[in-house]
PDB file of all heavy atoms in Angstrom:
ATOM      1  N   MET A 348      96.066 -59.707  -6.000  1.00 92.00           N
ATOM      2  CA  MET A 348      95.238 -59.571  -4.805  1.00 92.00           C
ATOM      3  C   MET A 348      95.130 -60.813  -3.930  1.00 92.00           C
ATOM      4  O   MET A 348      94.591 -60.836  -2.812  1.00 92.00           O
ATOM      5  CB  MET A 348      93.774 -59.215  -5.320  1.00 92.00           C
ATOM      6  CG  MET A 348      93.713 -57.846  -5.929  1.00 92.00           C
ATOM      7  SD  MET A 348      94.132 -56.500  -4.728  1.00 92.00           S
ATOM      8  CE  MET A 348      92.832 -56.698  -3.509  1.00 92.00           C
ATOM      9  N   LEU A 349      95.695 -61.860  -4.524  1.00 93.00           N
ATOM     10  CA  LEU A 349      95.492 -63.205  -3.840  1.00 93.00           C
ATOM     11  C   LEU A 349      96.500 -63.572  -2.746  1.00 93.00           C
ATOM     12  O   LEU A 349      97.604 -63.092  -2.864  1.00 93.00           O
ATOM     13  CB  LEU A 349      95.694 -64.248  -4.868  1.00 93.00           C
ATOM     14  CG  LEU A 349      95.229 -65.732  -4.515  1.00 93.00           C
ATOM     15  CD1 LEU A 349      93.727 -65.804  -4.079  1.00 93.00           C
ATOM     16  CD2 LEU A 349      95.411 -66.712  -5.672  1.00 93.00           C
ATOM     17  N   ARG A 350      96.055 -64.006  -1.625  1.00 93.00           N
ATOM     18  CA  ARG A 350      96.889 -64.377  -0.536  1.00 93.00           C
ATOM     19  C   ARG A 350      97.950 -65.426  -0.939  1.00 93.00           C
ATOM     20  O   ARG A 350      97.627 -66.371  -1.645  1.00 93.00           O
ATOM     21  CB  ARG A 350      96.049 -64.951   0.719  1.00 93.00           C
ATOM     22  CG  ARG A 350      96.706 -65.411   1.850  1.00 93.00           C
ATOM     23  CD  ARG A 350      95.644 -65.839   2.850  1.00 93.00           C
ATOM     24  NE  ARG A 350      96.378 -66.723   3.996  1.00 93.00           N
ATOM     25  CZ  ARG A 350      96.803 -65.991   5.128  1.00 93.00           C
ATOM     26  NH1 ARG A 350      96.675 -64.769   5.293  1.00 93.00           N
ATOM     27  NH2 ARG A 350      97.262 -66.854   6.112  1.00 93.00           N
ATOM     28  N   ARG A 351      99.148 -65.118  -0.435  1.00 90.00           N
ATOM     29  CA  ARG A 351     100.150 -66.158  -0.883  1.00 90.00           C
ATOM     30  C   ARG A 351      99.894 -67.618  -0.443  1.00 90.00           C
ATOM     31  O   ARG A 351      99.437 -67.942   0.585  1.00 90.00           O
ATOM     32  CB  ARG A 351     101.457 -65.610  -0.163  1.00 90.00           C
ATOM     33  CG  ARG A 351     102.727 -66.542  -0.651  1.00 90.00           C
ATOM     34  CD  ARG A 351     104.026 -66.039   0.046  1.00 90.00           C
ATOM     35  NE  ARG A 351     104.278 -64.653  -0.500  1.00 90.00           N
ATOM     36  CZ  ARG A 351     105.312 -63.825  -0.057  1.00 90.00           C
ATOM     37  NH1 ARG A 351     106.054 -64.374   0.938  1.00 90.00           N
ATOM     38  NH2 ARG A 351     105.423 -62.652  -0.515  1.00 90.00           N
ATOM     39  N   GLY A 352     100.091 -68.423  -1.437  1.00 90.00           N
ATOM     40  CA  GLY A 352      99.870 -69.848  -1.219  1.00 90.00           C
ATOM     41  C   GLY A 352      98.436 -70.381  -1.419  1.00 90.00           C
ATOM     42  O   GLY A 352      98.127 -71.544  -1.300  1.00 90.00           O
ATOM     43  N   CYS A 353      97.570 -69.401  -1.809  1.00 94.00           N
ATOM     44  CA  CYS A 353      96.128 -69.695  -1.990  1.00 94.00           C
ATOM     45  C   CYS A 353      95.767 -69.712  -3.500  1.00 94.00           C
ATOM     46  O   CYS A 353      96.341 -69.012  -4.177  1.00 94.00           O
ATOM     47  CB  CYS A 353      95.204 -68.795  -1.310  1.00 94.00           C
ATOM     48  SG  CYS A 353      95.341 -68.841   0.547  1.00 94.00           S
ATOM     49  N   ARG A 354      94.741 -70.482  -3.881  1.00 93.00           N
ATOM     50  CA  ARG A 354      94.411 -70.562  -5.244  1.00 93.00           C
ATOM     51  C   ARG A 354      93.253 -69.677  -5.753  1.00 93.00           C
ATOM     52  O   ARG A 354      93.218 -69.255  -6.799  1.00 93.00           O
ATOM     53  CB  ARG A 354      94.124 -72.006  -5.560  1.00 93.00           C
ATOM     54  CG  ARG A 354      95.045 -72.999  -5.460  1.00 93.00           C
ATOM     55  CD  ARG A 354      94.710 -74.429  -5.845  1.00 93.00           C
ATOM     56  NE  ARG A 354      95.793 -75.438  -5.904  1.00 93.00           N
ATOM     57  CZ  ARG A 354      95.572 -76.680  -6.054  1.00 93.00           C
ATOM     58  NH1 ARG A 354      94.438 -77.105  -6.608  1.00 93.00           N
ATOM     59  NH2 ARG A 354      96.591 -77.536  -6.152  1.00 93.00           N
ATOM     60  N   SER A 355      92.520 -69.332  -4.644  1.00 95.00           N
ATOM     61  CA  SER A 355      91.341 -68.467  -5.034  1.00 95.00           C
ATOM     62  C   SER A 355      90.850 -67.597  -3.788  1.00 95.00           C
ATOM     63  O   SER A 355      91.210 -67.912  -2.729  1.00 95.00           O
ATOM     64  CB  SER A 355      90.071 -69.230  -5.594  1.00 95.00           C
ATOM     65  OG  SER A 355      89.703 -70.190  -4.491  1.00 95.00           O
ATOM     66  N   GLY A 356      90.143 -66.580  -4.045  1.00 96.00           N
ATOM     67  CA  GLY A 356      89.723 -65.743  -2.990  1.00 96.00           C
ATOM     68  C   GLY A 356      88.447 -64.957  -3.480  1.00 96.00           C
ATOM     69  O   GLY A 356      87.975 -65.004  -4.604  1.00 96.00           O
ATOM     70  N   TYR A 357      87.863 -64.265  -2.602  1.00 97.00           N
ATOM     71  CA  TYR A 357      86.623 -63.395  -2.835  1.00 97.00           C
ATOM     72  C   TYR A 357      86.483 -62.315  -1.932  1.00 97.00           C
ATOM     73  O   TYR A 357      86.977 -62.267  -0.831  1.00 97.00           O
ATOM     74  CB  TYR A 357      85.407 -64.359  -3.010  1.00 97.00           C
ATOM     75  CG  TYR A 357      84.930 -64.939  -1.595  1.00 97.00           C
ATOM     76  CD1 TYR A 357      84.322 -64.059  -0.678  1.00 97.00           C
ATOM     77  CD2 TYR A 357      85.368 -66.259  -1.158  1.00 97.00           C
ATOM     78  CE1 TYR A 357      83.844 -64.618   0.550  1.00 97.00           C
ATOM     79  CE2 TYR A 357      84.925 -66.721  -0.017  1.00 97.00           C
ATOM     80  CZ  TYR A 357      84.119 -65.953   0.903  1.00 97.00           C
ATOM     81  OH  TYR A 357      83.809 -66.394   2.078  1.00 97.00           O
ATOM     82  N   VAL A 358      85.635 -61.300  -2.372  1.00 97.00           N
ATOM     83  CA  VAL A 358      85.111 -60.261  -1.565  1.00 97.00           C
ATOM     84  C   VAL A 358      83.678 -60.101  -1.759  1.00 97.00           C
ATOM     85  O   VAL A 358      83.132 -60.185  -2.975  1.00 97.00           O
ATOM     86  CB  VAL A 358      85.907 -58.896  -1.970  1.00 97.00           C
ATOM     87  CG1 VAL A 358      85.481 -57.754  -0.976  1.00 97.00           C
ATOM     88  CG2 VAL A 358      87.426 -58.983  -1.961  1.00 97.00           C
ATOM     89  N   LYS A 359      83.048 -59.859  -0.690  1.00 97.00           N
ATOM     90  CA  LYS A 359      81.542 -59.528  -0.781  1.00 97.00           C
ATOM     91  C   LYS A 359      81.275 -58.400   0.006  1.00 97.00           C
ATOM     92  O   LYS A 359      81.659 -58.131   1.150  1.00 97.00           O
ATOM     93  CB  LYS A 359      80.729 -60.850  -0.287  1.00 97.00           C
ATOM     94  CG  LYS A 359      80.819 -62.109  -0.904  1.00 97.00           C
ATOM     95  CD  LYS A 359      80.106 -63.229  -0.317  1.00 97.00           C
ATOM     96  CE  LYS A 359      80.181 -64.495  -1.160  1.00 97.00           C
ATOM     97  NZ  LYS A 359      79.422 -65.652  -0.404  1.00 97.00           N
ATOM     98  N   VAL A 360      80.446 -57.489  -0.643  1.00 97.00           N
ATOM     99  CA  VAL A 360      79.939 -56.160  -0.033  1.00 97.00           C
ATOM    100  C   VAL A 360      78.523 -56.088  -0.030  1.00 97.00           C
ATOM    101  O   VAL A 360      77.910 -56.216  -1.145  1.00 97.00           O
ATOM    102  CB  VAL A 360      80.635 -54.989  -0.669  1.00 97.00           C
ATOM    103  CG1 VAL A 360      80.137 -53.741   0.107  1.00 97.00           C
ATOM    104  CG2 VAL A 360      82.198 -55.158  -0.746  1.00 97.00           C
TER     105      VAL A 360
END
Side-chain angles (χ1 to χ4, degrees):
M348 294 300 296
L349 194 59
R350 178 178 167 89
R351 183 175 297 176
C353 298
R354 294 183 177 181
S355 63
Y357 65 82
V358 182
K359 296 181 180 180
V360 180

